[in-house]
Amino acid sequence: MTNKQTIAAIVPAAGVGSRMQHNAPKQYIQLAGKTILEHTLAKLFQLPKLSTIVVALSDSDPYFDELSFVDKRIVRASGGKERADSVLNSLLFLAPNPPTWVLVHDAARPLVNISDIERLIDECMCADEGGILASKVKDTIKRGRTHAIQTVPRDDLWQALTPQFFKYDELKNALQNALASGATITDEASAIEWAGKPVKLVAGRSDNIKITTPEDLDLAGFLLHKQQNESAL
Ligand SMILES: Nc1ccn([C@@H]2O[C@H](COP(=O)(O)OP(=O)(O)OP(=O)(O)O)[C@@H](O)[C@H]2O)c(=O)n1
Ligand SMILES: C[C@](O)(CO)[C@H](O)COP(=O)(O)O
């Protein structure tokens, strides 16, 4: 990375985790000795290229201040109604001192592999084009409802993961304009696509799961323990 280019991370962590049906937002569920959010941030702390780590939190979040972090790159921004609003709020928070690039990574994806993130950053910066981690679809995919289903050709189907990595200005403008137009934006790439700009797909590990529903917890807990044991070797 040339010394003039900077990278800020944005961690959307302002969700309520309704699909988890838990008594607290899922990012604060304890797995392998830490909250999911702490596991996710611990991954980003291993990336010295990140100048700042913006964590988007609900203004009424009573849990975050109970956590303590040695890494002083963490700053808090206000979350929004939807994930895209939380990301846009974080981008606007960075406006007084904007980075060259932003790396957006879900708080709910603590299993992400560091080398996948580094590869995403390197490939995008080399191509000077934004991109996302994604995993090739492995199952047969159906569209429709009972008695009226179709099999979807899957050769070019990918599951979008995070991090998603884009130029600050490009993402801020695309997100602002897409949301203002009423477009449905569920990830950063969909705003960039809405703006008609290219998105690189960088293959990432499929175990970089988004912890979403209760059955994700056992798998995530097992894999987090496995990662901890491996890093202790
Ligand atoms: N208004 C929102 C909604 C979601 N998120 C974050 O975006 C990530 C991915 O969203 P998702 O998995 O959908 O989390 P929730 O919205 O909390 O889950 P649910 O849809 O089940 O309520 C999570 O880290 C979540 O905290 C956010 O920052 N702001
Ligand atoms: C950003 C994301 O994780 C990419 O797959 C996904 O779009 C988040 O969707 P959610 O409904 O907000 O969980």
Side-chain angles (χ1 to χ4, degrees):
M1 177 171 83
T2 59
N3 56 19
K4 68 177 185 298
Q5 298 197 60
T6 58
I7 306 173
I10 292 173
V11 180
V16 296
S18 57
R19 289 171 284 183
M20 186 57 78
Q21 299 168 326
H22 192 71
N23 58 11
K26 64 187 179 183
Q27 55 270 34
Y28 294 108
I29 293 175
Q30 290 263 344
L31 289 177
K34 286 193 286 196
T35 64
I36 289 168
L37 176 58
E38 287 172 293
H39 281 291
T40 300
L41 291 173
K43 295 287 177 75
L44 299 183
F45 294 157
Q46 297 176 51
L47 297 166
K49 290 176 183 174
L50 303 180
S51 58
T52 306
I53 301 171
V54 181
V55 185
L57 297 165
S58 163
D59 288 343
S60 60
D61 179 320
Y63 307 100
F64 186 76
D65 290 340
E66 302 298 310
L67 307 178
S68 60
F69 301 102
V70 174
D71 195 307
K72 297 308 173 196
R73 291 176 288 176
I74 286 189
V75 288
R76 181 174 179 160
S78 292
K81 182 175 180 295
E82 303 295 336
R83 179 187 178 282
D85 301 306
S86 296
V87 173
L88 182 54
N89 285 352
S90 302
L91 290 165
L92 296 173
F93 176 89
L94 289 165
N97 183 23
T100 313
W101 298 84
V102 284
L103 182 93
V104 185
H105 184 55
D106 290 336
R109 289 184 190 267
L111 290 160
V112 67
N113 180 284
I114 296 296
S115 56
D116 280 0
I117 302 177
E118 290 172 332
R119 190 155 37 81
L120 172 69
I121 292 171
D122 292 347
E123 290 195 20
C124 290
M125 294 188 81
C126 183
D128 198 34
E129 188 176 284
I132 68 172
L133 285 184
S135 65
K136 284 286 281 175
V137 163
K138 300 175 189 173
D139 301 314
T140 294
I141 302 296
K142 306 291 184 186
R143 172 181 285 122
R145 291 177 171 71
T146 308
H147 307 314
I149 64 167
Q150 286 178 319
T151 299
V152 180
R154 63 174 158 165
D155 290 357
D156 297 331
L157 288 191
W158 296 74
Q159 270 183 273
L161 308 170
T162 69
Q164 304 203 359
F165 186 66
F166 294 99
K167 289 281 184 66
Y168 173 85
D169 290 328
E170 186 176 277
L171 180 58
K172 180 168 74 69
N173 295 336
L175 205 41
Q176 276 177 318
N177 296 334
L179 291 175
S181 77
T184 299
I185 301 298
T186 58
D187 70 342
E188 288 61 64
S190 47
I192 300 291
E193 295 156 39
W194 181 89
K197 301 202 172 181
V199 174
K200 274 177 79 63
L201 290 174
V202 177
R205 290 174 61 102
S206 60
D207 60 3
N208 173 15
I209 63 168
K210 181 166 65 73
I211 299 174
T212 306
T213 51
E215 64 266 29
D216 295 327
L217 293 173
D218 287 346
L219 173 60
F222 170 77
L223 290 171
L224 285 167
H225 271 115
K226 180 169 177 286
Q227 288 183 355
Q228 283 175 339
N229 294 338
E230 285 166 354
S231 58
L233 293 177

